[in-house]
Amino acid sequence: MRRSHLFHQSSSFDNRLFSIRSIALTSRFQRNKYPTNLSYPSVLFSSSSLSKMSCSATLSLTAEVEEKRKFYGDEANSLIKELQKVFNSGKTKSYEWRISQLQSIVKMLEEKEKDIIEAIHKDLAKPHLEAFIAEISTTKSSCKHALQELKHWIKPEKVKTSITTYPSSAQIVSEPLGVVLVISTWNFPFLLSLDPVIGAISAGNAVVLKPSEIAPATSSLLVKLFEEYLDRSAIRVVEGAVPETTALLDQKWDKILYTGSARVGRIVMAAAAKHLTPVILELGGKCPAVVDSNINLQVASRRIITGKWALNNGQACIAVDYIITTKDFAPKLIDSIRTELKEFFGENPIESGDMSRIVSKSQFARLVKLLDEDKVSDKIVLGGQRDENKLRIAPTIFLDVPQEAEIMNEEIFGPLLPIITVDKLEESYDIIKSKPKPLVAYLFTNNDQLKQHYVKNVSSGGMCVNDTVTQLTVPGLPFGGVGESGMGSYHGKFSFDGFSHKKAVMYRSFDGDASVRYPPYTPQKEKLLKALLRGDLLGVILILIGWSTDEN
Ligand code: NAD
């Protein structure tokens, strides 16, 4: 299956002028090497853009940027060394430091709510309320949960020991990993930057955040806010695009959490492998929603709309990517979604202020290409309107596009929704399994047997039955993918665990020093050891008092 590699062509192609500001190192870097507001490094490092240039020009410019990147590599190296020093001092390990940083994040969210919402609106035209709920309130809940639970999370966890080590005790001690890197993406540019950072701080690490250059207003706001509210000796933001991320990835980190496409996920993992750095990859995929007929149709339609168009206009990793329903039920479902869409976004949804716009021209072009593909465009049953100047595409539903169409083989990440019909819902399994494992699989049904069967038979990062998206509000649930949709997870305690090492510690006393474990090995010792390993207490006693038989 061709995956969503286009995301990254876009990121390099149509980067708006992007001011590269490395917080850590800024002044020297900016003054000497890059003119301000320089976008060409991002362009130069994309293979697609390179191919557009003449060969010699490419070579000389690449060499020039390579030289600059090397410089930036040095800066990245000094940054990590500086943070390692602070980490090694033990500062970030203290409970008080962690709490104070988390409290500052809550304060920042309260005091800068307006600025954050405005920056996100600049980047995506995300409706204010949606930004507040999905980015600010969610980040605040995550931070408050960490504040509330941290004292429990950091406690060593007792583990039972066995007779072999008697007397002893054992525990699992969570220790911070060191200096960690968080690379985030543009669709929830605030939440997806802050939430992993909250996990990294809770676990007692020093952390560098690299926000996405595709959401430049939020990226530069994050720089300001981190400077103002957080301890810059241990928590930094480095802005930039591909060259800057590459320079960061060249360094040895203690963990990397990356959110974005599987294509770049592979680049991140390959870079991490060089240093044996563990990774959490939060990727995407095609999230199916199987819709049964025995449902509350209005509620299901509203929830599907919320999990698609009211969620950054479908530009979300957990958005419903396509629906599978029965041939008989599809017309009713389409009618109901049409009615509810009108209720939510009015007669002309393309003009609605309650829906985000498409993030960039190249994302717009990518979506239009999916929309206009032969054998797809004639399957539109709702929507299809677009406005290139405003980067808007109306909520669009297709009925029974061919499985081989691009739209069924690439993560849509936008306001297009194909509905695939089947004679029986059981046929859904084959369709879902023909694609890489999704990040989330949705199901709408009142049939308990179907629920159980779906949970058992569909492999996905997560699942939600009879709703969309709300699974993310449960802090006790891990969030992460499986297979192509990612590896590792975070949220709540899973974030803390993801950024901790679980150290196995055993405590013994000098008592109970059985000579049986030491050479020279005699037949008597062998019998005793075997009885011990079998957990045969009576056998041990019999051997010790000399009553054992040969069979022991
Ligand atoms: P993006 O272009 O913002 O890239 C993500 C990050 O990778 C950015 O910080 C960017 O600078 C960096 N990057 C891009 N190309 C790079 C390269 N060649 N080398 C090193 N770093 C590079 O975001 P995107 O990839 O367009 O995001 C969309 C994808 O992210 C979708 O597949 C979506 O499903 C997925 N996503 C997943 C989650 C999740 O939590 N699982 C959340 C949001 C988005």
Side-chain angles (χ1 to χ4, degrees):
M1 173 176 147
R2 261 170 295 170
R3 297 255 326 143
S4 50
H5 56 279
L6 283 156
F7 289 120
H8 290 279
Q9 289 186 353
S10 70
S11 56
S12 16
F13 262 149
D14 76 338
N15 283 338
R16 293 148 255 186
L17 285 182
F18 187 72
S19 143
I20 299 156
R21 243 166 288 134
S22 154
I23 308 325
L25 333 149
T26 30
S27 46
R28 203 178 124 214
F29 179 50
Q30 279 185 343
R31 252 185 288 120
N32 300 343
K33 296 291 171 181
Y34 285 109
T36 48
N37 284 337
L38 191 68
S39 64
Y40 71 82
S42 327
V43 177
L44 275 176
F45 275 86
S46 105
S47 54
S48 47
S49 50
L50 278 174
S51 66
K52 295 192 157 194
M53 299 174 188
S54 80
C55 195
S56 59
T58 304
L59 282 177
S60 62
L61 278 171
T62 308
E64 193 187 326
V65 172
E66 189 54 39
E67 190 269 324
K68 282 168 179 163
R69 202 175 73 65
K70 236 189 264 161
F71 170 81
Y72 188 67
D74 292 345
E75 298 286 17
N77 189 260
S78 349
L79 167 65
I80 201 163
K81 283 203 172 117
E82 209 182 304
L83 294 185
Q84 266 159 358
K85 219 166 153 188
V86 174
F87 176 76
N88 289 337
S89 76
K91 183 183 197 183
T92 63
K93 287 185 190 170
S94 92
Y95 174 74
E96 291 70 26
W97 182 86
R98 304 185 205 190
I99 291 289
S100 74
Q101 298 308 302
L102 295 174
Q103 280 169 340
S104 291
I105 292 177
V106 174
K107 190 165 178 262
M108 168 181 100
L109 291 166
E110 279 162 4
E111 292 176 357
K112 302 294 176 181
E113 182 184 308
K114 207 167 146 256
D115 297 357
I116 298 165
I117 287 178
E118 266 168 22
I120 299 171
H121 195 267
K122 238 187 214 169
D123 288 330
L124 288 149
K126 201 174 274 193
H128 288 188
L129 187 60
E130 192 186 320
F132 174 76
I133 294 169
E135 309 235 29
I136 297 185
S137 168
T138 313
T139 309
K140 204 195 274 183
S141 306
S142 169
C143 204
K144 285 193 160 173
H145 182 69
L147 276 165
Q148 197 181 319
E149 297 298 324
L150 191 59
K151 57 181 170 301
H152 307 298
W153 294 345
I154 61 173
K155 266 194 192 149
E157 190 186 322
K158 277 200 170 168
V159 173
K160 270 191 187 168
T161 55
S162 68
I163 183 167
T164 343
T165 58
Y166 181 83
S168 66
S169 66
Q171 45 184 224
I172 301 168
V173 175
S174 295
E175 66 175 22
L177 293 166
V179 184
V180 302
L181 174 65
V182 170
I183 304 173
S184 98
T185 185
W186 52 265
N187 61 338
F188 290 83
F190 195 79
L191 170 74
L192 297 178
S193 297
L194 256 290
D195 210 4
V197 167
I198 289 168
I201 294 172
S202 305
N205 299 282
V207 55
V208 173
L209 165 68
K210 212 300 287 172
S212 174
E213 69 280 15
I214 311 284
T218 312
S219 176
S220 55
L221 179 66
L222 282 164
V223 171
K224 275 195 226 145
L225 297 182
F226 272 46
E227 282 278 297
E228 192 177 336
Y229 286 90
L230 297 174
D231 176 359
R232 80 175 297 284
S233 77
I235 306 168
R236 302 285 178 91
V237 183
V238 174
E239 285 190 282
V242 179
E244 293 73 21
T245 318
T246 308
L248 290 170
L249 285 172
D250 284 345
Q251 311 308 312
K252 180 171 169 47
W253 301 90
D254 294 298
K255 186 123 190 187
I256 300 172
L257 187 149
Y258 165 79
T259 305
S261 70
R263 189 187 72 85
V264 177
R266 286 179 166 83
I267 295 173
V268 170
M269 199 167 169
K274 283 193 192 149
H275 301 289
L276 282 182
T277 296
V279 291
I280 294 176
L281 299 180
E282 292 287 339
L283 313 177
K286 291 186 80 62
C287 302
V290 172
V291 183
D292 200 356
S293 52
N294 62 352
I295 51 170
N296 182 326
L297 185 54
Q298 190 192 29
V299 173
S301 304
R302 287 170 163 246
R303 291 177 181 180
I304 289 168
I305 293 171
T306 308
K308 183 74 177 178
W309 298 284
L311 188 68
N312 201 27
N313 204 359
Q315 303 169 104
C317 55
I318 53 166
V320 176
D321 189 276
Y322 64 102
I323 285 178
I324 306 175
T325 192
T326 57
K327 285 189 170 48
D328 295 345
F329 191 62
K332 288 182 202 145
L333 179 63
I334 293 167
D335 275 351
S336 173
I337 295 180
R338 181 185 284 118
T339 308
E340 298 305 323
L341 271 172
K342 206 188 276 179
E343 179 84 12
F344 286 10
F345 303 114
E347 287 287 348
N348 192 8
I350 218 163
E351 299 294 337
S352 171
D354 288 335
M355 217 187 295
S356 302
R357 65 162 160 73
I358 307 305
V359 71
S360 65
K361 275 193 175 174
S362 59
Q363 284 291 337
F364 182 87
R366 182 185 66 80
L367 288 162
V368 166
K369 195 164 160 253
L370 295 181
L371 184 67
D372 289 344
E373 188 184 345
D374 264 2
K375 295 187 187 149
V376 169
S377 54
D378 59 346
K379 305 286 183 193
I380 295 175
V381 290
L382 179 74
Q385 304 82 359
R386 77 280 314 252
D387 181 337
E388 192 175 354
N389 291 329
K390 292 182 179 163
L391 294 178
R392 300 232 171 222
I393 299 173
T396 301
I397 297 181
F398 309 81
L399 188 61
D400 282 329
V401 295
Q403 278 299 318
E404 63 278 10
E406 193 73 36
I407 199 167
M408 286 310 293
N409 290 286
E410 179 182 305
E411 183 183 2
I412 295 171
F413 222 65
L416 317 179
L417 181 64
I419 297 183
I420 305 299
T421 64
V422 288
D423 290 320
K424 287 187 180 153
L425 274 191
E426 291 75 53
E427 293 166 42
S428 310
Y429 296 117
D430 283 344
I431 298 174
I432 297 170
K433 284 178 186 170
S434 71
K435 305 179 192 310
K437 294 179 179 182
L439 185 60
V440 189
Y442 297 108
L443 170 68
F444 288 85
T445 186
N446 269 317
N447 179 337
D448 288 338
Q449 239 182 329
L450 178 59
K451 287 179 199 169
Q452 282 171 21
H453 202 260
Y454 196 76
V455 172
K456 204 168 162 188
N457 287 289
V458 173
S459 180
S460 57
M463 218 166 239
C464 183
V465 177
N466 291 336
D467 205 348
T468 59
V469 186
T470 45
Q471 72 275 14
L472 261 66
T473 61
V474 182
L477 285 177
F479 176 64
V482 56
E484 282 280 317
S485 55
M487 63 181 67
S489 59
Y490 73 122
H491 284 195
K493 171 114 182 341
F494 298 95
S495 298
F496 175 85
D497 289 343
F499 284 111
S500 301
H501 165 60
K502 301 291 171 183
K503 189 157 70 182
V505 180
M506 189 167 84
Y507 297 96
R508 294 214 63 200
S509 77
F510 293 105
D511 297 335
D513 190 46
S515 63
V516 64
R517 60 188 274 208
Y518 304 123
Y521 303 120
T522 63
Q524 169 83 353
K525 283 184 178 177
E526 188 182 330
K527 273 193 238 166
L528 197 59
L529 261 179
K530 282 184 177 169
L532 263 172
L533 292 173
R534 279 199 307 272
D536 178 5
L537 253 183
L538 183 64
V540 171
I541 295 165
L542 290 177
I543 294 162
L544 288 175
I545 60 176
W547 279 11
S548 73
T549 61
D550 278 348
E551 292 83 71
N552 285 326

